[in-house]
Amino acid sequence: MKKRCLAFLLLLSLVTVGVFASGDQESADSGKEKVVLRMGSWRMDDVAQMEAVLAEFTKTHPGIEILFQPTNPPDYNATLRLQLESGTGPDIMYARSYATGIQLFEDGYLSDLTSLPGLDTTYSEGNRAPWMTKDGKNFAIPFTAVSHGVFYNKDIFKELGLSIPESWSDFLSVCKKIKAAGYIPVANSLGDEWDINEVVFMNLAPNFIGGREGRLAYDEGKTPFNDKKVVALFQAMASLAPYLPEGFEALTYNDSNALFATGQAAMYFDGSWTLGTFSDVDFDWGVFAPPAPDGQKVHYICFHPDAGMAINSSTKYPEEAKIFLEWLGSPEGAQVLAENLPMGMFPMSNIAVEIEDLHAKEFLSLNEGRQLDVRWAWPELLGGDPSGYNLMMEGSIGVVTGRITPKQAADNLQEGLAKWYPPAQKW
Amino acid sequence: MQRYIEGRSQPFSWFLYILPALLVYLVFLAYPLFSSMLASFMTGNHAQIQTFVGFDNYVRLFTEEELSTRYFSAFRNTVIFFAIHMLVQNVLGMLFANLLQNKHLKGRKFYQTIIFIPATLAIIVTGYLWKLILNPQWGAFNLVLKALGSEHANFPWLGTPGVSLVVISLVSSWQWVGIPTMFFISALGNIPDELYEAAAISGASPWQVFTNIKLPLIMPTVGVVSTLTFVNNFNAFDVVFAMENVNGAPDYSTDILGTFFYRTGIAGQHPIGIPDRGMGAAVATVTFVVLIIGVALIRHITVKQDEA
């Protein structure tokens, strides 16, 4: 009993010491002239890069120091919400695009940045849209975007005498040749579910539905979600099945990545954020734009807004936070970002910057001569039950495993959305 | 007079003894349970604008097509998950216990240890481990199948609806089989030797000894083990989470009540991640009620058999 008492007292003293210690530190910080801002983020992988960016900022703004405090990615939404609810949220934070970010703004946790100087000149309207409410209020500045494409093993392509496929039927014949040579044509798999949707379906979608304009036709109710373009898109998904690795139903995103990295698979649909993982493989690789339906003249790339930067509406230092956001949008800040951001995370301002990594440059150059649009489900179809995201994911998995036909997948999408999404109810 | 004084001081003294436990119970069990039940009558995602909606969450859970389809599919999967555990884990536990009870068995301690070791590992660890073993590209299991010349090499064990749930239940049974084994060994150890001697004299076969002596006498333990299996399985989450993620892939075929609850109430649906706390609380409360009814039923069955 005595021992237990002692242990309890010890624990109690440790806790109280901890509390007082942190209290002391806080008062010491605010006592100085230097303002310390905390920045929330879901990018645990980018600590070194972001700290470099923030150090550059402090060099020119000695009065402001920013601490980068990221959370484990899957926990970010829930953690941030809890922090904001309890009043311990960060001063500046990464903001998710579309519904998730808008929800936080509408709940009153994010500052209105509509009048931030330079906002409308530094960022195009298309880039600002993901962090803008329906009535045109901006709650975050565009920060980084990711692009989508197809990674390919140049050595295998050279060995088999293949060239980059432009159209979908070219792509399938390339797949056929690769399979005949004993390699896995496409590394993607279904085990993690989200990846087949985000890196394959959403990657192909802009080409099949006609980019932004095409997407708006669906999202605004001018076209039903099960028209022949959507059927063709699901048909394309289904046609991948024979070219995926054996046992693809149970392989995960990491397995797919490894199949490509070990040279067993010749091609891999994925996003630019993966660039860094192939930096020391022992073969030559590159990226090409997703193949378009046969005969289509205009080609599209899925270029997706990933992170915005927002300010906590109850921060003690709104002025300092705004200074930082303005700096991010200045030519100087944009260049610092381009130099320090992790590979495959692209800055979103209009200021032209030089990207050094060759593969990242190659990825970004795919945008030239092609039109861009975001991932289809994000702008309008995420809310509601069943969400457009889930319907597209279930449809993709259904057609790849042959459980449903492309027509059924498209019909499910239309019927599911019609349950809650007014524009889909017109059909 | 003496009795009166003793009687006066006693109520306080017993209360003092249970006070610490009562406090812990109230703070860490009763209060969260109560507040969770309260939350199931609310809607809204954060402290500021939670509104009272009565039984709306429950009505929606059982009548709104999207929710009820998922709920009943999760419920059915949980029942299958539980049935496989009862069948495999507890029958094997019984078998192992009977074998290990033999004191002359060589390497008895060693077997006991191997059977119990998996139960000491974190389920997340065993989940990932088995996910690797069952991987169609580089997993040991399919490599062995390939070496044996099986046509099923590269079979996606965790990616086939109808198969995955069974596989996961078996992995989980493998992990926990040590617990019932341990319970049964100690129960069997309490059976007096005279009974065995009497059986031996009357020439009973081992099977007769098992059905007429061992089983009836350890019935209370069977009841306890069944209750534990039931409660653990209806609260299960981690093994599916580790092996199939929060959606219960493939095609929701391994989605159990735990993963359904986590998705609705805690994490929210990927990629939106906006949880519906009230709905989550409603799911948890329904599970709680199911547990109470189930435990009462199991007790009813086993206690009755015990008396008979």
Side-chain angles (χ1 to χ4, degrees):
Chain A
M1 196 62 200
K2 226 178 189 176
K3 246 183 198 170
R4 234 180 248 181
C5 253
L6 203 68
F8 179 72
L9 279 178
L10 201 68
L11 194 74
L12 197 74
S13 64
L14 277 176
V15 171
T16 38
V17 164
V19 167
F20 285 119
S22 66
D24 279 350
Q25 204 181 351
E26 238 167 65
S27 62
D29 281 344
S30 55
K32 280 183 218 159
E33 278 179 31
K34 203 172 204 175
V35 169
V36 179
L37 301 175
R38 292 181 301 127
M39 180 192 283
S41 165
W42 62 81
R43 293 289 309 174
M44 296 277 282
D45 298 349
D46 304 349
V47 175
Q49 292 94 328
M50 278 309 292
E51 279 176 353
V53 170
L54 298 174
E56 286 294 320
F57 171 73
T58 308
K59 263 186 208 164
T60 48
H61 300 78
I64 310 172
E65 193 186 336
I66 303 177
L67 301 175
F68 187 63
Q69 298 178 330
T71 322
N72 192 27
D75 305 333
Y76 181 71
N77 291 5
T79 312
L80 181 65
R81 189 164 268 282
L82 278 176
Q83 287 179 330
L84 292 171
E85 278 170 15
S86 59
T88 58
D91 302 288
I92 306 173
M93 70 208 96
Y94 278 41
R96 303 268 190 203
S97 49
Y98 301 110
T100 318
I102 290 174
Q103 188 74 47
L104 283 180
F105 176 66
E106 284 177 349
D107 291 345
Y109 295 124
L110 306 179
S111 298
D112 188 345
L113 301 177
T114 316
S115 55
L116 191 79
L119 184 71
D120 40 355
T121 49
T122 315
Y123 307 98
S124 70
E125 196 185 340
N127 282 351
R128 270 181 289 142
W131 297 278
M132 204 190 273
T133 58
K134 285 256 152 50
D135 49 358
K137 281 185 186 154
N138 290 283
F139 57 85
I141 62 161
F143 186 49
T144 57
V146 292
S147 192
H148 298 65
V150 188
F151 292 78
Y152 72 108
N153 184 321
K154 285 186 179 170
D155 290 356
I156 296 180
F157 268 59
K158 201 185 271 174
E159 181 194 325
L160 305 177
L162 302 168
S163 53
I164 291 172
E166 290 275 323
S167 72
W168 191 255
S169 53
D170 279 352
F171 176 74
L172 291 181
S173 72
V174 163
C175 284
K176 208 169 186 178
K177 283 174 196 157
I178 295 171
K179 194 177 183 180
Y183 295 106
I184 298 165
V186 179
N188 296 82
S189 56
L190 303 182
D192 279 328
E193 296 196 312
W194 65 268
D195 46 346
I196 192 77
N197 195 27
E198 291 179 27
V199 303
V200 189
F201 185 89
M202 306 279 177
N203 193 343
L204 297 178
N207 266 325
F208 280 81
I209 64 169
R212 182 179 146 85
E213 274 170 41
R215 172 172 62 80
L216 289 178
Y218 294 98
D219 290 359
E220 288 166 3
K222 290 177 188 141
T223 322
F225 284 89
N226 56 351
D227 72 345
K228 61 179 198 296
K229 288 178 179 173
V230 180
V231 177
L233 172 55
F234 278 116
Q235 181 63 53
M237 294 295 295
S239 63
L240 283 174
Y243 304 118
L244 300 179
E246 271 188 278
F248 63 84
E249 296 95 330
L251 294 175
T252 63
Y253 180 64
N254 287 337
D255 291 329
S256 299
N257 192 303
L259 283 173
F260 183 76
T262 51
Q264 298 178 61
M267 295 184 283
Y268 179 36
F269 285 85
D270 206 0
S272 56
W273 62 86
T274 312
L275 280 169
T277 57
F278 304 131
S279 51
D280 41 69
V281 295
D282 55 4
F283 56 84
D284 199 11
W285 57 277
V287 276
F288 61 79
D294 298 2
Q296 184 166 298
K297 294 266 159 33
V298 192
H299 286 207
Y300 299 88
I301 291 277
C302 180
F303 195 74
H304 192 73
D306 191 43
M309 196 66 83
I311 300 177
N312 187 339
S313 57
S314 55
T315 175
K316 276 190 246 166
Y317 310 107
E319 288 315 311
E320 286 81 359
K322 275 184 185 158
I323 290 172
F324 175 67
L325 262 55
E326 277 176 55
W327 177 81
L328 283 178
S330 70
E332 182 201 349
Q335 191 53 44
V336 170
L337 274 186
E339 281 163 17
N340 292 289
L341 271 187
M343 234 187 273
M345 296 286 187
F346 302 117
M348 293 184 76
S349 71
N350 295 336
I351 301 155
V353 289
E354 194 60 34
I355 286 179
E356 280 171 23
D357 179 74
L358 287 177
H359 285 116
K361 222 174 182 173
E362 186 184 5
F363 218 124
L364 204 56
S365 73
L366 297 178
N367 291 358
E368 285 161 25
R370 294 187 179 84
Q371 295 188 26
L372 311 181
D373 195 31
V374 303
R375 291 185 192 147
W376 188 7
W378 259 254
E380 302 291 340
L381 310 177
L382 282 188
D385 198 13
S387 81
Y389 180 93
N390 271 354
L391 292 164
M392 288 173 188
M393 183 171 83
E394 284 160 22
S396 301
I397 294 171
V399 296
V400 172
T401 52
R403 286 199 283 271
I404 52 173
T405 66
K407 179 83 179 81
Q408 280 170 324
D411 289 345
N412 291 349
L413 178 62
Q414 164 63 27
E415 278 165 34
L417 289 172
K419 284 180 189 160
W420 61 271
Y421 186 57
Q425 287 160 359
K426 294 184 187 168
W427 303 95
Chain B
M1 194 64 190
Q2 183 94 24
R3 266 185 96 139
Y4 175 69
I5 292 167
E6 271 175 10
R8 252 170 72 126
S9 61
Q10 255 167 7
F12 288 101
S13 53
W14 70 256
F15 189 72
L16 277 177
Y17 281 113
I18 66 158
L19 192 64
L22 188 70
L23 271 179
V24 169
Y25 172 78
L26 285 177
V27 173
F28 293 107
L29 290 165
Y31 170 70
L33 188 68
F34 176 73
S35 77
S36 158
M37 283 178 170
L38 207 63
S40 72
F41 297 109
M42 303 281 192
T43 191
N45 265 320
H46 39 100
Q48 288 91 329
I49 51 157
Q50 282 212 336
T51 41
F52 182 79
V53 290
F55 283 92
D56 189 50
N57 284 327
Y58 294 94
V59 173
R60 280 179 55 215
L61 178 62
F62 293 115
T63 58
E64 220 169 76
E65 199 196 333
E66 289 303 316
L67 281 163
S68 66
T69 317
R70 283 288 146 264
Y71 182 79
F72 287 116
S73 129
F75 193 88
R76 197 183 54 239
N77 292 337
T78 312
V79 172
I80 299 172
F81 187 73
F82 168 59
I84 295 175
H85 276 84
M86 279 303 280
L87 199 73
V88 177
Q89 179 186 305
N90 295 343
V91 169
L92 279 183
M94 188 76 83
L95 183 75
F96 291 155
N98 271 289
L99 293 177
L100 292 173
Q101 191 208 3
N102 179 359
K103 294 194 175 75
H104 308 295
L105 186 72
K106 245 187 178 175
R108 182 165 154 265
K109 277 265 149 54
F110 176 70
Y111 293 125
Q112 228 166 329
T113 314
I114 333 186
I115 291 170
F116 197 74
I117 269 184
T120 63
L121 298 171
I123 185 92
I124 293 287
V125 175
T126 45
Y128 282 138
L129 205 71
W130 275 99
K131 199 175 173 174
L132 276 178
I133 293 172
L134 295 167
N135 187 302
Q137 283 285 335
W138 23 67
F141 191 73
N142 288 12
L143 287 182
V144 170
L145 285 186
K146 201 179 266 176
L148 295 174
S150 162
E151 288 167 23
H152 292 295
N154 290 352
F155 187 82
W157 297 103
L158 295 174
T160 315
V163 175
S164 311
L165 183 60
V166 179
V167 172
I168 291 174
S169 308
L170 291 177
V171 168
S172 169
S173 301
W174 167 82
Q175 162 145 36
W176 295 118
V177 73
I179 307 278
T181 308
M182 194 182 65
F183 270 92
F184 292 139
I185 288 178
S186 74
L188 289 171
N190 286 337
I191 298 175
D193 285 340
E194 295 84 45
L195 288 177
Y196 293 128
E197 282 159 21
I201 290 166
S202 20
S205 69
W207 178 248
Q208 279 171 325
V209 172
F210 177 73
T211 50
N212 294 323
I213 299 176
K214 290 181 180 173
L215 200 56
L217 285 173
I218 64 168
M219 211 54 205
T221 309
V222 173
V224 170
V225 166
S226 306
T227 312
L228 281 178
T229 312
F230 175 71
V231 173
N232 284 336
N233 287 170
F234 271 71
N235 278 327
F237 160 74
D238 33 20
V239 66
V240 173
F241 181 72
M243 296 178 78
E244 300 280 13
N245 295 327
V246 286
N247 276 354
D251 203 14
Y252 298 103
S253 67
T254 62
D255 190 22
I256 56 175
L257 289 175
T259 43
F260 176 72
F261 162 72
Y262 179 76
R263 241 179 16 245
T264 6
I266 297 182
Q269 190 82 41
H270 178 83
I272 325 165
I274 302 170
D276 186 341
R277 302 248 162 84
M279 184 56 72
V283 174
T285 308
V286 174
T287 307
F288 178 65
V289 173
V290 170
L291 282 178
I292 290 181
I293 298 172
V295 170
L297 269 176
I298 293 175
R299 273 196 60 79
H300 182 73
I301 295 167
T302 49
V303 169
K304 209 169 158 191
Q305 285 200 2
D306 189 31
E307 282 165 357

